[in-house]
Amino acid sequence: MASIIAPRGTRDILPGESYKWSYVIKTAGEVMSDFAFNEIYIPIFEHTELFARGVGETSDIVEKEMYTFIDRGGRSITLRPEATAGVMRSALENNLCAQGNFAKLWSYGPMFRYERPQKGRYRQFYQIDAECLGIAGAEADIEIINLSLELFKRLGLKNLEVVINSVGCEKCRPVYREKLVEYFNQHKDELCETCLNRLERNPLRILDCKKENCGKVAENAPDIFNSLCDECKEHFKKVCAGLERLGFKYKLNKRLVRGLDYYTKTAFEILSGDLGAQNAVCGGGRYDNLAEAAGGSHLPGVGFACGLDRVVIVMEEQGCSFGKIPEPKIFVIAKNDDARENAQVITSKLRSEKIAAVCDIAGRSFKNQIKNANSYEYICKADEAGNLELVKNSDDVHENLTLDEIVGRLK
Ligand code: ATP
Ligand code: MG
């Protein structure tokens, strides 16, 4: 029988790698807490309708990337392709922003998209997600971008580029949309098949087509800045001014439109030069129309999603630190076979004193235990009578001590 392997686009994060992920998540938790964002756990699957409505029928995600199935109760269920719609659903359902309150929330976990797997692009991938709900003003956009940049700074990422745009709102985007359709209609023969389809359904998406020809056409397309209404213009100016005040460099990119339809006003991305084609480590923006699209009352929001897989790749490439690999401090060796049980009792007692300790549980000989133990900071040799000898590996000092004395020494 052929052995079973992991499904295409998924991967195992093995012990030699997992400490890096823990480090990034732990650092994210610290940054979130410094910014007063509260952690939220949301389901990994939701009703398909939430994403169809909240992410947008014409987005790549909903059109071709979702993992959708009918469950045993006959409901259409989708494995979440992103977190924002679920966080918004939860905030509405649990009244987190009732009476004009706002909520600053963060979360992390796996997302699922049926995509062509390649470096930095998987079918199960992980995101760190932050959302600020209930605030319409530019201060919230500034806070979100500040948060993402502080996270990357603490992780030690270098050579990042912040690109920012405004995608307008329900008042000014339809006008811009029309201008775009008119322009692209004149260049129909230069567009790829997908973009011809987008021309009908979602012409803004043509702007971020990665095909060379479409890119050239898009370069000369009407500029969204000329179509923004006064409110959107003002908002964008405030965001830019805020970023400057905080000392952040950014680039304007009028072709940054994001794949998701509920985005309004600010759209931003953080790019890394060390990622090749999959160069975005973080994408975000404002989504003032998501709550209503999901069937709730009006609730403005702004947030980001950071690709954990890609962050780890960039950190490896740039030689960033992942902190210390957690290792036991002491190896308790059984001097002979009669001392094995005693060694396990001593090890257990050390652990309940919160001292990271190991002993042999694989039946290895004294010689092999010693060989194995040399990489630990301390060795404790236990005999069958309960006598303990502590050895500090670095200076080769041997001492006969009681368990309490050893605990005191190691704490
Ligand atoms: P891309 O243009 O790379 O497909 P996207 O616009 O689809 O990105 P978002 O929906 O904005 O991505 O998700 C935010 C972040 O999640 C991305 O910037 C990226 O770091 C990460 N990401 C998205 N899709 C994947 C994937 N399939 N595998 C790994 N990371 C991903
Ligand atoms: Mg994508």
Side-chain angles (χ1 to χ4, degrees):
M1 240 196 311
S3 57
I4 297 171
I5 57 167
R8 187 166 145 78
T10 69
R11 56 201 188 123
D12 304 306
I13 307 302
L14 299 171
E17 186 91 350
S18 58
Y19 74 95
K20 299 177 184 172
W21 289 58
S22 303
Y23 175 76
V24 175
I25 291 160
K26 185 176 134 269
T27 306
E30 287 164 7
V31 176
M32 297 294 172
S33 136
D34 291 346
F35 277 69
F37 275 65
N38 296 305
E39 193 167 7
I40 181 172
Y41 289 75
I42 52 167
I44 281 175
F45 59 87
E46 299 268 1
H47 292 293
T48 302
E49 208 184 340
L50 174 70
F51 301 117
R53 285 208 236 156
V55 177
E57 299 277 6
T58 60
S59 63
D60 276 359
I61 292 181
V62 174
E63 279 189 336
K64 47 188 194 210
E65 295 175 0
M66 295 207 304
Y67 277 92
T68 297
F69 60 96
I70 304 293
D71 76 3
R72 286 169 197 271
R75 305 169 196 89
S76 182
I77 294 292
T78 294
L79 300 185
R80 63 183 187 191
E82 52 101 61
T84 309
V87 170
M88 180 58 96
R89 191 236 354 104
S90 174
L92 293 168
E93 190 173 334
N94 298 294
N95 275 323
L96 298 187
C97 297
Q99 279 116 34
N101 277 336
F102 63 88
K104 302 204 293 186
L105 305 166
W106 81 279
S107 192
Y108 74 90
M111 306 295 155
F112 305 86
R113 296 185 193 177
Y114 194 83
E115 301 202 73
R116 197 168 69 78
Q118 51 201 292
K119 187 182 175 196
R121 193 177 293 288
Y122 312 98
R123 290 182 175 175
Q124 174 169 335
F125 63 100
Y126 295 77
Q127 284 183 342
I128 297 169
D129 188 79
E131 315 288 351
C132 177
L133 306 181
I135 301 174
E139 291 82 358
D141 308 43
I142 298 165
E143 172 125 320
I144 280 288
I145 299 175
N146 186 2
L147 172 61
S148 62
L149 288 171
E150 179 62 26
L151 171 61
F152 293 136
K153 187 173 137 200
R154 280 204 217 171
L155 292 173
L157 262 67
K158 296 171 285 285
N159 310 328
L160 295 179
E161 184 172 79
V162 182
V163 290
I164 172 167
N165 191 19
S166 173
V167 295
C169 67
E170 66 285 357
K171 280 176 268 166
C172 52
R173 196 161 45 207
V175 182
Y176 178 61
R177 191 181 193 276
E178 251 168 54
K179 282 192 197 163
L180 267 189
V181 171
E182 197 185 312
Y183 171 79
F184 284 127
N185 259 321
Q186 291 161 4
H187 295 86
K188 257 182 162 171
D189 46 344
E190 294 153 72
L191 297 178
C192 72
E193 191 106 4
T194 318
C195 282
L196 284 176
N197 191 7
R198 286 174 177 149
L199 190 51
E200 310 283 319
R201 293 164 62 79
N202 189 351
L204 257 80
R205 297 283 326 285
I206 303 176
L207 292 173
D208 77 348
C209 181
K210 306 281 186 293
K211 302 242 167 61
E212 201 187 331
N213 270 356
C214 302
K216 274 189 200 147
V217 181
E219 218 29 72
N220 297 316
D223 196 325
I224 191 157
F225 291 115
N226 299 327
S227 299
L228 293 181
C229 63
D230 287 346
E231 188 192 320
C232 286
K233 248 185 222 156
E234 194 53 33
H235 188 96
F236 191 64
K237 266 194 210 151
K238 279 189 185 162
V239 174
C240 293
L243 295 181
E244 278 154 37
R245 256 196 315 278
L246 298 179
F248 298 130
K249 290 202 180 83
Y250 60 88
K251 265 197 186 151
L252 304 183
N253 180 353
K254 60 177 187 174
R255 287 180 51 197
L256 176 68
V257 289
R258 321 282 308 113
L260 314 179
D261 289 354
Y262 54 67
Y263 277 97
T264 52
K265 296 180 176 158
T266 314
F268 75 97
E269 235 165 33
I270 301 177
L271 309 175
S272 163
D274 293 296
L275 265 174
Q278 276 61 249
N279 63 349
V281 284
C282 177
R286 181 164 276 286
Y287 44 86
D288 291 346
N289 295 330
L290 170 62
E292 280 147 307
S297 46
H298 181 72
L299 184 61
V302 56
F304 72 72
C306 156
L308 189 49
D309 307 71
R310 293 187 195 175
V311 166
V312 171
I313 294 174
V314 177
M315 286 177 71
E316 283 171 344
E317 223 123 287
Q318 295 186 350
C320 299
S321 160
F322 289 100
K324 268 222 211 99
I325 305 176
E327 267 183 0
K329 208 174 173 128
I330 180 164
F331 195 114
V332 183
I333 293 179
K335 276 188 161 172
N336 54 52
D337 279 346
D338 291 340
R340 282 184 185 278
E341 288 167 6
N342 193 24
Q344 197 160 28
V345 172
I346 300 293
T347 306
S348 170
K349 286 185 175 155
L350 288 169
R351 289 167 175 167
S352 47
E353 294 292 339
K354 296 193 183 162
I355 293 167
V358 283
C359 63
D360 175 60
I361 53 170
R364 278 172 293 192
S365 68
F366 178 71
K367 215 171 104 195
N368 277 341
Q369 289 182 50
I370 284 280
K371 226 194 254 168
N372 197 273
N374 279 336
S375 59
Y376 297 91
E377 195 179 341
Y378 290 95
I379 300 175
C380 171
K381 294 181 188 165
D383 70 12
E384 67 283 11
N387 299 313
L388 304 175
E389 181 186 343
L390 186 71
V391 183
K392 189 164 190 202
N393 268 327
S394 57
D395 47 20
D396 204 31
V397 174
H398 295 237
E399 288 172 284
N400 292 317
L401 299 171
T402 64
L403 182 60
D404 283 348
E405 285 167 339
I406 292 179
V407 169
R409 198 64 66 83
L410 266 62
K411 270 235 155 159

